[in-house]
Amino acid sequence: MAPKRSIYETDLPQTAANFAALTPLGFLFRAAAVYPSKTAIVHGKTRINYARFAARVRCFAHALVKRGLKQGQTVAILAPNIPAMLEAHYAVPLAGGVLNALNYRLDAATIAFILDHGEAKFVLADREFAATLQAALALCKSKPTVIDIDDRAYTGEGPRLSALDYESFLAEGTPDYAGRWPSDEWQAICLLYTSGTTGDPKGVVYHHRGAFLNALGNALTFGLRPDSVYLWTLPMFHCSGWSYTWAVTSVGGTHVCLRKVEPGAIFASIEANAVTHMCGAPIVLNTLAHAPANLRRKLKNRVEVMTGGAAPPSAIIAAMEELGFRVTHAYGLTESYGPATLCEWQPGWPDLPLEERARLMSRQGVAYPTLGALAVLDVATGHPVPSDGATLGEIALKGNTVMKGYLKNPKATKRAFKNGWFRTGDLAVRHKDGYIEVKDRSKDIIISGGENISSLEVEEALYRHPAVMEAAVVAKPDPKWGETPCAFVALKPDAVGISGQELIAWLRGRIAGFKCPRYVVFGALPKTSTGKIQKFMLRQRAQEIA
């Protein structure tokens, strides 16, 4: 006999009147209706209000559809933090497409791999990075339609790759275009690539529901309001700007674009635009704290700063507070739409001595309100570790703000999702107050200036050098970048006269510059009885290098 249905399951249908797929697209059109004349985007002397922002997005989306973009196809963009990049975060999904924001620091071969793997049908490129894209396209199997972006703030001479430029492309669309709104909130919205634990980039797929919720989580935890002014010091290509591309718009705030993350430009923009919020890797904080005296200035009003990655040292926190910033530490991954936890400020913390406050602030904290659950699990048993601040476990996440999975990589997706959790690979402890603290990163990942570097990718490149017999790459703590790659190399018996600088120079032609080791140590590598290189010993050695 079938169980009796609940009274709430009858005669209460789901209809268009009481259900709609969650999507961040609605944030823009609400802001345009509520604040049509308010400045939405600042870029140098350019001001774009919300009504115009929405109209440009509709034109952009319509132009993509007219040019043949089909539902679920990929549109890539290679650009810094400029209006076109922000507009793409709305226009591409409004056209039914999936946005693939590219890391402009990558080399041409990696970009070519991403364009082919994501099957990009269009690629927009700022002319500053056109030469890199040109080299990448020469390696691509597919040939996407290219659209040049001529940003007025760019004064260089990047090559033109297309007869089609961005503003002319927008003119092909109409501001009355209704768009292809998602009928299913599980529909893909963005494709972001991460190095993960192998040298081959993995394509992280976001859905509309996750983007909507993480954006609101940002707005809630970071205190965004309609009068907030957000400075783009975090790359929009990185986790879709940690979902702040949508979060700032959700409250009707102002986006301030910035092509170059330089201390002079940051301080000047904060003062000129009355900036209230910004995000960035610890390197950004370090740059501001140690800016030349002629550029550094005391802020008139407090600026909230969210940072992730390696915890900023107390000296940097003190210097930032002296300048007028308040630092909030967060933790997350590309796979979690950016921030998934934050070190929530508690009453009384501002009155603590600096060292004690910095110790508490450096923790990765508690779950976002929009994250389903956060746990620190024993690696062997999968059970939660005790809240003793000492027992190591793996950070695990679950909820609507975890990726759909890795594109075309079911094995990696299956490895990441275990027993109903996304296993991050990062080791942490849980303190008595419930706050988590990362103790060790995934062993194959080096986080330098906010960028993920796969040690396996660098090792693979080193092994291609004819003089290298063995190689291992680990993270070395760095006061500026947080971490930097350090290579330990055993040369072949017949190899002579090879210097570390020569090896680094050789690598620069084969991998992206920011991935190249800054230190090379020659000698035998420590191994286990089974011949496995003992990287924990190399990490200890790296810390001792002056």
Side-chain angles (χ1 to χ4, degrees), residues 22 142 220 228 290 427:
L22 298 180
S142 59
L220 182 62
S228 296
H290 294 111
L427 301 179

Side-chain angles (χ1 to χ4, degrees), residues 139-406:
L139 301 172
C140 281
K141 296 174 184 176
S142 59
K143 301 298 179 185
T145 299
V146 179
I147 302 167
D148 288 331
I149 302 173
D150 283 305
D151 178 34
R152 293 177 182 175
Y154 176 59
T155 57
E157 296 293 333
R160 291 191 178 277
L161 304 183
S162 171
L164 191 61
D165 70 88
Y166 181 65
E167 293 299 329
S168 298
F169 183 69
L170 262 61
E172 294 181 5
T174 172
D176 297 325
Y177 177 63
R180 295 168 172 164
W181 288 71
S183 57
D184 182 357
E185 57 195 18
W186 183 248
Q187 183 176 313
I189 186 171
C190 288
L191 173 65
L192 289 309
Y193 280 81
T194 178
S195 294
T197 56
T198 68
D200 290 332
K202 294 200 292 289
V204 176
V205 181
Y206 289 177
H207 50 72
H208 283 254
R209 181 182 180 87
F212 175 94
L213 290 169
N214 213 57
L216 292 185
N218 283 338
L220 182 62
T221 58
F222 206 28
L224 296 179
R225 296 164 31 91
D227 56 357
S228 296
V229 180
Y230 182 90
L231 179 62
W232 276 103
T233 45
L234 176 80
M236 291 188 204
F237 68 69
H238 187 39
C239 312
S240 286
W242 291 358
S243 303
Y244 279 95
T245 45
W246 305 300
V248 176
T249 304
S250 74
V251 299
T254 299
H255 299 263
V256 180
C257 294
L258 195 66
R259 279 192 72 95
K260 300 287 186 182
V261 180
E262 299 169 337
I266 292 172
F267 280 112
S269 187
I270 289 173
E271 187 171 80
N273 299 299
V275 168
T276 60
H277 294 76
M278 55 186 274
C279 295
I283 179 63
V284 176
L285 277 60
N286 203 1
T287 299
L288 295 176
H290 294 111
N294 64 317
L295 300 177
R296 192 171 63 248
R297 63 192 75 175
K298 176 84 172 178
L299 305 181
K300 295 178 180 178
N301 299 298
R302 188 176 75 184
V303 174
E304 300 285 346
V305 180
M306 180 177 284
T307 190
S314 58
I316 297 299
I317 292 175
M320 292 294 286
E321 290 182 351
E322 179 64 26
L323 290 171
F325 296 92
R326 189 177 83 152
V327 180
T328 298
H329 196 213
Y331 165 82
L333 312 91
T334 303
E335 290 89 340
S336 63
Y337 297 71
T341 78
L342 83 159
C343 195
E344 194 82 64
W345 278 75
Q346 293 288 344
W349 281 14
D351 301 323
L352 293 173
L354 173 63
E355 289 298 326
E356 176 65 9
R357 189 167 74 252
R359 183 187 66 79
L360 293 170
M361 289 167 60
S362 67
R363 300 180 300 173
Q364 284 64 37
V366 295
Y368 252 45
T370 45
L371 180 72
L374 165 70
V376 180
L377 304 178
D378 184 282
V379 176
T381 67
H383 297 150
V385 301
S387 299
D388 57 8
T391 306
L392 278 177
E394 183 180 7
I395 299 174
L397 312 172
K398 67 166 60 176
N400 296 295
T401 56
V402 174
M403 66 169 180
K404 293 183 72 166
Y406 298 113

Side-chain angles (χ1 to χ4, degrees), residues 499-543:
S499 71
Q501 290 304 313
E502 287 173 330
L503 202 53
I504 293 170
W506 183 86
L507 281 173
R508 286 192 179 278
R510 290 160 176 81
I511 58 176
F514 73 90
K515 298 180 180 180
C516 292
R518 294 175 58 115
Y519 303 88
V520 177
V521 181
F522 293 101
L525 305 184
K527 298 185 181 70
T528 65
S529 58
T530 58
K532 185 177 181 180
I533 295 172
Q534 296 175 304
K535 281 196 169 181
F536 74 94
M537 294 182 65
L538 298 180
R539 291 189 186 95
Q540 292 174 0
R541 289 187 192 176
Q543 291 187 33

Side-chain angles (χ1 to χ4, degrees), residues 443 445-447 455 473-477 483-486 538-540 542-543:
K443 290 183 175 61
I445 292 297
I446 300 162
I447 300 181
S455 63
V473 177
V474 298
K476 180 186 183 308
E483 294 175 345
T484 191
C486 178
L538 298 180
R539 291 189 186 95
Q540 292 174 0
Q543 291 187 33

Side-chain angles (χ1 to χ4, degrees), residues 9-22:
E9 295 178 18
T10 59
D11 303 321
L12 298 171
Q14 184 184 96
T15 71
N18 61 15
F19 176 83
L22 298 180

